[in-house]
Amino acid sequence: MARRVLQVIPAMLLVSVISFSLIFLAPGDPAVVLLTSPEGSPSQEAIEMFKVRMGMDQPVYIQYLNWLNRLIHGDLGYSYISNQPVADRIMRCFQATLKLSILSMIISLVISIPLGIIAAVRSNTIIDDFCRLGALIGVSIPNFWQAFIFIMIFSIYLDWLPVAGYGHGGDLMHMILPATVLGTSSAAMTTRLMRSSLLEAMNQDYIITARAKGLPERVVIGRHALRNALIPVVTMLALSFGFLLNGSVVIEWIFGWPGIGGLVVDSIYKRDYTMIQGSVLFIAAIFVTLNLIVDISYTYLDPRIRYDELD
């Protein structure tokens, strides 16, 4: 396990290099782009003064080492546009996205895990057909279309829920519609994977042996088959949660949710390079951390998997 944890360090270093390089990969001189206004282009003197103030006059590797040093101390710099600390802005947006993501994942789990188990246990019956049909519809419907349908039904026609907004402190009523859209979409994919994974596990030799010993079916399914069937499902859930934490840009925009997805799009549009760098690094850190947690969880779900196999 120690080796697997240590592998996170070079991965994050590589991500930091990529994140830092974004400012140089973008077209045009960053100083000219940031200083250009509707009144006209900046003077050469203003450009040089800006580069000195931002440390852009130094060699690239020096700029990177200085940026990495600040990063290690938790300093992501300041926004070129608003002059606000990048870390503070990211965390404010992330808090909104985190609330939405947790509720979305709860909805997804409540729907997908039971339906996937029922579909597998009742395989090739009318119950299985209904579960598969529901999952197929959920996968096929685009998120934005589902969002507009929900708004029309629950906000405009029935007037049960607010159309958009963040509410006071992330009011639950404002979260229900976007969380349901994101949760049902994730549940559709997870249901199909849960069903296929459990069916595969139920055909293994150790399940046949457990049944031959006369164990009750609920014990065979719950204690033996389900535990191993959850391995690919856990991977899917971790990736889904990672995407949710990084913000579903379209859904956040439709429902006016001030999450990190909207922050990234807005920063790209305004060419706020420091905010883009910080956001990309933050998003990558989430995925690296989730992958590490998933790898470690494998050993608890299936004792046959050892830490040295993960390395």
Coordinates of all heavy atoms in Angstrom, one line a residue, residues 41-105:
S41 N -4.9 48.5 -27.1 CA -3.8 47.6 -26.7 C -2.9 48.3 -25.7 O -2.7 49.6 -25.7 CB -3.0 47.1 -27.9 OG -3.8 46.4 -28.8
P42 N -2.2 47.6 -24.8 CA -1.3 48.2 -23.8 C 0.0 48.6 -24.4 O 0.4 48.1 -25.5 CB -1.1 47.1 -22.8 CG -1.3 45.9 -23.5 CD -2.4 46.1 -24.6
S43 N 0.6 49.6 -23.8 CA 1.9 50.0 -24.3 C 3.0 49.0 -23.9 O 2.8 48.1 -23.0 CB 2.3 51.3 -23.7 OG 2.4 51.2 -22.3
Q44 N 4.1 49.0 -24.6 CA 5.2 48.1 -24.3 C 5.7 48.2 -22.8 O 6.0 47.2 -22.2 CB 6.4 48.3 -25.3 CG 7.4 47.2 -25.2 CD 6.9 45.8 -25.5 OE1 6.1 45.6 -26.4 NE2 7.4 44.8 -24.8
E45 N 5.7 49.5 -22.4 CA 6.2 49.7 -21.0 C 5.2 49.1 -20.0 O 5.7 48.5 -19.0 CB 6.2 51.2 -20.8 CG 6.7 51.6 -19.4 CD 6.7 53.1 -19.1 OE1 6.4 53.9 -20.1 OE2 7.1 53.5 -18.0
A46 N 3.9 49.2 -20.3 CA 2.9 48.6 -19.4 C 3.1 47.1 -19.3 O 2.9 46.4 -18.3 CB 1.5 49.0 -19.8
I47 N 3.3 46.5 -20.5 CA 3.5 45.0 -20.6 C 4.7 44.6 -19.8 O 4.6 43.6 -19.1 CB 3.7 44.6 -22.1 CG1 2.3 44.9 -22.9 CG2 4.0 43.1 -22.2 CD1 2.5 44.6 -24.4
E48 N 5.8 45.3 -19.9 CA 7.0 44.9 -19.2 C 6.8 45.1 -17.7 O 7.3 44.2 -16.9 CB 8.2 45.8 -19.7 CG 8.6 45.6 -21.1 CD 9.0 44.2 -21.4 OE1 9.6 43.5 -20.5 OE2 8.8 43.7 -22.6
M49 N 6.2 46.1 -17.3 CA 5.9 46.3 -15.8 C 5.0 45.2 -15.3 O 5.2 44.7 -14.2 CB 5.2 47.7 -15.6 CG 6.1 48.9 -15.9 SD 5.3 50.5 -15.6 CE 4.8 50.3 -13.9
F50 N 4.0 44.8 -16.1 CA 3.2 43.7 -15.7 C 3.9 42.4 -15.5 O 3.7 41.6 -14.6 CB 2.0 43.5 -16.7 CG 1.0 42.5 -16.3 CD1 0.0 42.7 -15.4 CD2 1.1 41.2 -16.9 CE1 -0.9 41.7 -15.1 CE2 0.2 40.2 -16.5 CZ -0.8 40.5 -15.7
K51 N 4.8 42.1 -16.5 CA 5.6 40.9 -16.4 C 6.5 40.8 -15.2 O 6.7 39.8 -14.6 CB 6.4 40.7 -17.7 CG 5.6 40.4 -18.9 CD 6.4 40.1 -20.2 CE 5.6 39.7 -21.4 NZ 6.5 39.4 -22.6
V52 N 7.1 42.0 -14.9 CA 8.0 42.1 -13.7 C 7.2 41.9 -12.5 O 7.6 41.1 -11.5 CB 8.7 43.4 -13.7 CG1 9.5 43.6 -12.4 CG2 9.7 43.5 -14.9
R53 N 6.0 42.5 -12.4 CA 5.2 42.4 -11.2 C 4.7 40.9 -11.0 O 4.6 40.5 -9.8 CB 4.0 43.3 -11.3 CG 3.1 43.3 -10.1 CD 2.2 44.6 -10.1 NE 1.4 44.7 -11.3 CZ 0.2 44.1 -11.4 NH1 -0.4 43.5 -10.4 NH2 -0.5 44.3 -12.6
M54 N 4.4 40.2 -12.1 CA 3.9 38.9 -12.0 C 5.0 37.8 -12.1 O 4.7 36.6 -12.0 CB 2.9 38.6 -13.1 CG 1.6 39.4 -13.0 SD 0.7 39.0 -11.5 CE -0.6 40.2 -11.5
G55 N 6.3 38.3 -12.2 CA 7.4 37.3 -12.3 C 7.5 36.6 -13.6 O 8.2 35.6 -13.7
M56 N 6.8 37.1 -14.6 CA 6.9 36.5 -16.0 C 8.2 36.9 -16.7 O 8.4 36.3 -17.8 CB 5.7 37.0 -16.8 CG 4.3 36.5 -16.3 SD 3.0 37.1 -17.3 CE 1.6 36.3 -16.5
D57 N 9.0 37.7 -16.2 CA 10.2 38.1 -16.8 C 11.3 37.1 -16.5 O 12.4 37.1 -17.2 CB 10.7 39.5 -16.4 CG 10.9 39.6 -14.9 OD1 10.1 38.9 -14.1 OD2 11.8 40.3 -14.4
Q58 N 11.1 36.2 -15.6 CA 12.1 35.2 -15.3 C 12.0 34.0 -16.2 O 11.0 33.7 -16.8 CB 11.9 34.8 -13.8 CG 12.0 35.9 -12.8 CD 11.7 35.5 -11.4 OE1 11.2 34.4 -11.2 NE2 12.1 36.3 -10.4
P59 N 13.1 33.1 -16.2 CA 13.1 31.9 -17.0 C 11.9 31.0 -16.6 O 11.5 31.0 -15.4 CB 14.4 31.2 -16.7 CG 15.3 32.4 -16.3 CD 14.4 33.3 -15.6
V60 N 11.4 30.2 -17.5 CA 10.2 29.4 -17.2 C 10.4 28.4 -16.1 O 9.5 28.3 -15.2 CB 9.9 28.6 -18.5 CG1 8.7 27.6 -18.2 CG2 9.5 29.5 -19.7
Y61 N 11.6 27.8 -16.0 CA 11.8 26.9 -14.9 C 11.8 27.6 -13.5 O 11.4 27.0 -12.5 CB 13.1 26.0 -15.1 CG 14.4 26.8 -14.9 CD1 15.0 26.8 -13.7 CD2 15.0 27.5 -16.0 CE1 16.2 27.5 -13.5 CE2 16.1 28.2 -15.8 CZ 16.8 28.2 -14.6 OH 17.9 28.9 -14.4
I62 N 12.3 28.8 -13.5 CA 12.3 29.6 -12.2 C 10.9 29.9 -11.9 O 10.4 29.8 -10.7 CB 13.1 30.8 -12.4 CG1 14.6 30.5 -12.6 CG2 13.0 31.7 -11.1 CD1 15.2 29.7 -11.4
Q63 N 10.1 30.3 -12.9 CA 8.7 30.6 -12.6 C 7.9 29.4 -12.1 O 7.1 29.5 -11.2 CB 8.0 31.1 -13.9 CG 8.5 32.4 -14.5 CD 7.7 32.8 -15.7 OE1 6.5 32.8 -15.7 NE2 8.4 33.2 -16.7
Y64 N 8.3 28.2 -12.6 CA 7.6 27.0 -12.2 C 8.0 26.6 -10.8 O 7.2 26.3 -9.9 CB 8.0 25.8 -13.1 CG 7.5 24.5 -12.6 CD1 6.2 24.1 -12.6 CD2 8.4 23.6 -12.0 CE1 5.7 22.9 -12.1 CE2 8.0 22.3 -11.5 CZ 6.6 22.0 -11.5 OH 6.2 20.8 -11.0
L65 N 9.3 26.7 -10.4 CA 9.7 26.4 -9.1 C 9.1 27.4 -8.1 O 8.8 27.0 -7.0 CB 11.3 26.5 -9.0 CG 12.0 25.3 -9.8 CD1 13.5 25.5 -9.7 CD2 11.6 24.0 -9.3
N66 N 9.1 28.6 -8.4 CA 8.4 29.6 -7.5 C 6.9 29.3 -7.3 O 6.4 29.3 -6.2 CB 8.6 31.0 -8.0 CG 10.0 31.5 -8.0 OD1 10.8 31.0 -7.2 ND2 10.4 32.4 -8.9
W67 N 6.3 28.9 -8.4 CA 4.9 28.6 -8.4 C 4.7 27.3 -7.5 O 3.7 27.2 -6.7 CB 4.3 28.4 -9.8 CG 2.9 28.0 -9.8 CD1 1.8 28.8 -9.7 CD2 2.3 26.7 -10.1 NE1 0.6 28.1 -9.8 CE2 0.9 26.8 -10.1 CE3 2.9 25.5 -10.4 CZ2 0.1 25.8 -10.4 CZ3 2.1 24.4 -10.7 CH2 0.7 24.5 -10.6
L68 N 5.6 26.3 -7.7 CA 5.5 25.0 -7.0 C 5.7 25.3 -5.5 O 5.0 24.7 -4.6 CB 6.5 24.0 -7.5 CG 6.4 22.6 -7.0 CD1 5.1 22.0 -7.2 CD2 7.5 21.8 -7.5
N69 N 6.6 26.1 -5.2 CA 6.9 26.5 -3.8 C 5.7 27.1 -3.1 O 5.4 26.7 -2.0 CB 8.1 27.4 -3.7 CG 8.5 27.8 -2.2 OD1 8.8 26.9 -1.4 ND2 8.4 29.0 -1.9
R70 N 5.1 28.0 -3.8 CA 3.8 28.6 -3.2 C 2.7 27.6 -3.1 O 2.0 27.6 -2.2 CB 3.4 29.8 -4.1 CG 4.3 31.0 -4.1 CD 3.7 32.2 -4.7 NE 3.2 32.0 -6.1 CZ 4.0 32.2 -7.2 NH1 5.2 32.7 -7.0 NH2 3.5 32.0 -8.4
L71 N 2.7 26.7 -4.1 CA 1.7 25.6 -4.1 C 1.8 24.7 -2.9 O 0.8 24.4 -2.3 CB 1.7 24.8 -5.4 CG 0.8 23.7 -5.6 CD1 -0.7 24.2 -5.6 CD2 1.1 22.9 -6.8
I72 N 3.0 24.3 -2.6 CA 3.3 23.5 -1.4 C 2.8 24.1 -0.2 O 2.3 23.4 0.8 CB 4.8 23.1 -1.4 CG1 5.2 22.2 -2.6 CG2 5.1 22.4 -0.1 CD1 6.7 22.0 -2.7
H73 N 2.9 25.4 -0.1 CA 2.4 26.2 1.1 C 1.0 26.6 1.0 O 0.5 27.4 1.8 CB 3.3 27.4 1.3 CG 4.7 27.1 1.7 ND1 5.7 26.8 0.7 CD2 5.3 27.0 2.9 CE1 6.8 26.6 1.4 NE2 6.6 26.7 2.7
G74 N 0.3 26.0 0.0 CA -1.2 26.2 -0.1 C -1.6 27.5 -0.7 O -2.7 28.0 -0.6
D75 N -0.6 28.2 -1.4 CA -0.9 29.4 -2.1 C -1.0 29.2 -3.6 O 0.0 28.9 -4.3 CB 0.2 30.4 -1.8 CG 0.0 31.8 -2.4 OD1 -1.1 32.0 -3.0 OD2 0.9 32.6 -2.4
L76 N -2.2 29.3 -4.1 CA -2.4 29.2 -5.6 C -2.4 30.5 -6.3 O -2.7 30.5 -7.5 CB -3.8 28.5 -5.8 CG -3.9 27.1 -5.3 CD1 -5.4 26.6 -5.6 CD2 -2.9 26.1 -6.0
G77 N -2.0 31.5 -5.6 CA -1.9 32.8 -6.3 C -3.2 33.6 -6.2 O -4.2 33.2 -5.6
Y78 N -3.2 34.7 -7.0 CA -4.4 35.6 -7.1 C -4.9 35.6 -8.5 O -4.2 35.5 -9.5 CB -4.0 37.0 -6.6 CG -3.8 37.1 -5.1 CD1 -2.6 36.7 -4.6 CD2 -4.8 37.5 -4.3 CE1 -2.4 36.8 -3.2 CE2 -4.6 37.6 -2.9 CZ -3.4 37.2 -2.4 OH -3.2 37.3 -1.0
S79 N -6.3 35.8 -8.6 CA -6.9 35.9 -9.9 C -6.4 37.1 -10.6 O -6.3 38.2 -10.0 CB -8.4 35.9 -9.7 OG -9.1 36.3 -10.9
Y80 N -6.1 37.0 -11.9 CA -5.8 38.2 -12.7 C -6.9 39.1 -12.9 O -6.7 40.3 -13.1 CB -5.2 37.7 -14.1 CG -3.9 37.1 -14.1 CD1 -3.5 36.1 -15.0 CD2 -2.9 37.4 -13.1 CE1 -2.2 35.6 -15.0 CE2 -1.7 36.8 -13.1 CZ -1.3 35.9 -14.0 OH -0.1 35.3 -14.0
I81 N -8.1 38.6 -12.8 CA -9.3 39.4 -13.1 C -9.9 40.1 -11.9 O -10.1 41.3 -11.8 CB -10.4 38.5 -13.8 CG1 -9.8 37.8 -15.0 CG2 -11.6 39.4 -14.2 CD1 -9.3 38.7 -16.1
S82 N -10.2 39.3 -10.8 CA -10.8 39.8 -9.6 C -9.8 40.1 -8.5 O -10.2 40.8 -7.5 CB -11.8 38.8 -9.1 OG -11.2 37.6 -8.7
N83 N -8.6 39.7 -8.7 CA -7.5 39.9 -7.6 C -7.9 39.2 -6.3 O -7.3 39.5 -5.3 CB -7.3 41.4 -7.4 CG -5.9 41.6 -6.8 OD1 -4.9 40.9 -7.1 ND2 -5.8 42.6 -5.9
Q84 N -8.7 38.2 -6.4 CA -9.1 37.4 -5.2 C -8.2 36.2 -5.1 O -7.7 35.7 -6.2 CB -10.5 36.9 -5.3 CG -11.6 38.0 -5.2 CD -13.0 37.5 -5.4 OE1 -13.2 36.3 -5.8 NE2 -14.0 38.3 -5.0
P85 N -7.9 35.7 -3.9 CA -7.1 34.4 -3.8 C -7.8 33.3 -4.6 O -9.0 33.0 -4.4 CB -7.1 34.2 -2.3 CG -7.4 35.5 -1.7 CD -8.3 36.2 -2.6
V86 N -7.0 32.6 -5.4 CA -7.6 31.5 -6.2 C -8.1 30.4 -5.3 O -9.2 29.9 -5.6 CB -6.5 31.0 -7.1 CG1 -6.9 29.7 -7.8 CG2 -6.1 32.0 -8.2
A87 N -7.3 30.0 -4.3 CA -7.8 28.9 -3.4 C -9.1 29.2 -2.7 O -10.0 28.3 -2.6 CB -6.7 28.7 -2.3
D88 N -9.3 30.5 -2.3 CA -10.6 30.8 -1.6 C -11.7 30.7 -2.6 O -12.8 30.2 -2.2 CB -10.5 32.2 -1.1 CG -9.5 32.4 0.1 OD1 -9.1 31.3 0.6 OD2 -9.2 33.5 0.5
R89 N -11.5 31.2 -3.8 CA -12.6 31.1 -4.8 C -13.0 29.7 -5.2 O -14.1 29.3 -5.3 CB -12.2 31.9 -6.0 CG -13.3 31.9 -7.1 CD -14.4 32.9 -6.8 NE -15.5 32.7 -7.8 CZ -15.5 33.3 -9.0 NH1 -14.4 34.1 -9.3 NH2 -16.5 33.2 -9.8
I90 N -11.9 28.9 -5.3 CA -12.2 27.5 -5.7 C -12.9 26.7 -4.6 O -13.9 26.0 -4.8 CB -10.8 26.7 -6.0 CG1 -10.2 27.3 -7.3 CG2 -11.0 25.2 -6.0 CD1 -8.9 26.7 -7.6
M91 N -12.5 27.0 -3.3 CA -13.2 26.3 -2.2 C -14.6 26.7 -2.0 O -15.5 25.9 -1.7 CB -12.4 26.6 -0.9 CG -11.0 25.9 -0.9 SD -11.1 24.1 -1.3 CE -12.2 23.5 -0.1
R92 N -14.9 28.0 -2.3 CA -16.3 28.5 -2.2 C -17.2 27.8 -3.3 O -18.3 27.3 -3.0 CB -16.4 30.0 -2.4 CG -16.0 30.8 -1.1 CD -16.5 32.2 -1.2 NE -16.0 32.9 -2.4 CZ -14.9 33.6 -2.5 NH1 -14.1 33.7 -1.4 NH2 -14.6 34.2 -3.6
C93 N -16.7 27.7 -4.5 CA -17.4 27.0 -5.5 C -17.5 25.5 -5.3 O -18.5 24.9 -5.6 CB -16.8 27.3 -6.9 SG -16.9 29.0 -7.4
F94 N -16.4 25.0 -4.7 CA -16.4 23.5 -4.5 C -17.4 23.1 -3.4 O -18.0 22.0 -3.5 CB -15.0 23.1 -4.1 CG -14.8 21.6 -3.8 CD1 -15.0 20.7 -4.8 CD2 -14.6 21.2 -2.5 CE1 -14.9 19.3 -4.6 CE2 -14.5 19.8 -2.3 CZ -14.6 18.9 -3.3
Q95 N -17.6 24.0 -2.4 CA -18.5 23.7 -1.4 C -19.9 23.5 -2.0 O -20.7 22.6 -1.6 CB -18.5 24.8 -0.3 CG -17.3 24.8 0.6 CD -17.3 25.9 1.5 OE1 -18.2 26.7 1.6 NE2 -16.2 26.1 2.2
A96 N -20.3 24.4 -2.9 CA -21.6 24.3 -3.6 C -21.7 23.0 -4.4 O -22.7 22.3 -4.3 CB -21.8 25.5 -4.5
T97 N -20.6 22.7 -5.1 CA -20.6 21.5 -5.9 C -20.6 20.2 -5.0 O -21.3 19.2 -5.4 CB -19.4 21.5 -6.9 OG1 -19.5 22.6 -7.8 CG2 -19.3 20.2 -7.7
L98 N -19.9 20.3 -3.9 CA -19.9 19.1 -3.0 C -21.3 18.8 -2.5 O -21.6 17.6 -2.4 CB -18.9 19.4 -1.9 CG -18.7 18.3 -0.8 CD1 -18.2 17.0 -1.5 CD2 -17.8 18.8 0.3
K99 N -22.0 19.8 -2.1 CA -23.4 19.6 -1.6 C -24.2 18.9 -2.6 O -24.9 17.9 -2.4 CB -24.0 20.9 -1.1 CG -23.3 21.5 0.1 CD -24.0 22.9 0.4 CE -23.2 23.6 1.5 NZ -23.8 24.9 1.8
L100 N -24.1 19.4 -3.8 CA -24.9 18.9 -4.9 C -24.5 17.5 -5.3 O -25.3 16.6 -5.6 CB -24.8 19.8 -6.2 CG -25.6 19.5 -7.4 CD1 -27.1 19.6 -7.0 CD2 -25.3 20.4 -8.5
S101 N -23.2 17.2 -5.3 CA -22.6 15.9 -5.6 C -23.0 14.9 -4.6 O -23.4 13.7 -5.0 CB -21.1 16.0 -5.7 OG -20.7 16.9 -6.7
I102 N -23.0 15.2 -3.3 CA -23.4 14.2 -2.3 C -24.8 13.8 -2.4 O -25.2 12.6 -2.4 CB -23.1 14.8 -0.9 CG1 -21.6 14.9 -0.7 CG2 -23.7 13.9 0.2 CD1 -21.2 15.6 0.6
L103 N -25.7 14.8 -2.6 CA -27.1 14.5 -2.8 C -27.4 13.7 -4.1 O -28.1 12.7 -4.1 CB -28.0 15.8 -2.8 CG -29.5 15.6 -2.9 CD1 -30.0 14.7 -1.8 CD2 -30.2 16.9 -2.9
S104 N -26.7 14.0 -5.1 CA -26.8 13.3 -6.4 C -26.3 11.9 -6.3 O -27.0 10.9 -6.8 CB -25.9 14.0 -7.5 OG -26.3 15.3 -7.7
M105 N -25.2 11.6 -5.5 CA -24.7 10.3 -5.4 C -25.6 9.5 -4.5 O -25.8 8.2 -4.7 CB -23.3 10.3 -4.8 CG -22.6 9.0 -4.7 SD -22.5 8.1 -6.3 CE -21.5 9.3 -7.3

